[in-house]
Amino acid sequence: MNLVSIRIITADLARLVAFYELVTGVPADWATPEFAEVRTPAGTVALGSTRTVPLFAPGSAEPAANRTAIVEFLVDDVDAEYRRLAPALADVVTEPTTLPWGNRSLLFRDPDGNLVNLFTPVTEQAVARFSR
């Protein structure tokens, strides 16, 4: 089994795609006007319009309702990313902070309220975990 992507359903696809393009620096691949993917070397953030939900099962996904998942990106320098993105972030949850497990993390919400974590391993153990 291989994780291919995490999909976020949104009522404003253009806005959310632009946000993730800004965060990642990666242009989205638009499959249709209702679906786009931001592909990074390690994984893909898939973004779908609410109009795609009935294709799976009507009412099976609701935009801007997530309060459990965190979309995470490994970055070279979380402090530099914070300086770059700060003007565009409307909801910073936690400014760059070193956490007990050795990652320096920046936590913010995307325009739909989904949590996004940019992190850089800073301790020897954390660096080793991500160098495999």
Side-chain angles (χ1 to χ4, degrees), residues 62-74:
E62 183 181 331
N66 174 36
R67 290 306 216 200
T68 59
I70 303 173
V71 180
E72 298 188 297
F73 296 97
L74 175 65

Side-chain angles (χ1 to χ4, degrees), residues 8-114:
I8 300 172
I9 298 297
T10 181
D12 191 340
L13 187 59
R15 177 185 69 173
L16 210 56
V17 167
F19 181 81
Y20 280 97
E21 287 177 325
L22 173 68
V23 168
T24 63
V26 175
D29 292 324
W30 288 82
T32 73
E34 307 301 330
F35 181 79
E37 294 177 314
V38 176
R39 295 183 183 141
T40 74
T44 298
V45 177
L47 301 155
S49 161
T50 53
R51 290 181 288 283
T52 65
V53 173
L55 300 172
F56 294 102
S60 61
E62 183 181 331
N66 174 36
R67 290 306 216 200
T68 59
I70 303 173
V71 180
E72 298 188 297
F73 296 97
L74 175 65
V75 299
D76 290 334
D77 183 342
V78 72
D79 293 285
E81 291 298 322
Y82 179 57
R83 289 188 297 275
R84 180 179 72 86
L85 293 170
L89 300 178
D91 189 355
V92 174
V93 176
T94 306
E95 292 182 4
T97 303
T98 302
L99 299 172
W101 46 90
N103 292 336
R104 188 153 175 80
S105 294
L106 163 65
L107 193 64
F108 54 91
R109 293 191 184 278
D110 74 14
D112 277 6
N114 300 299

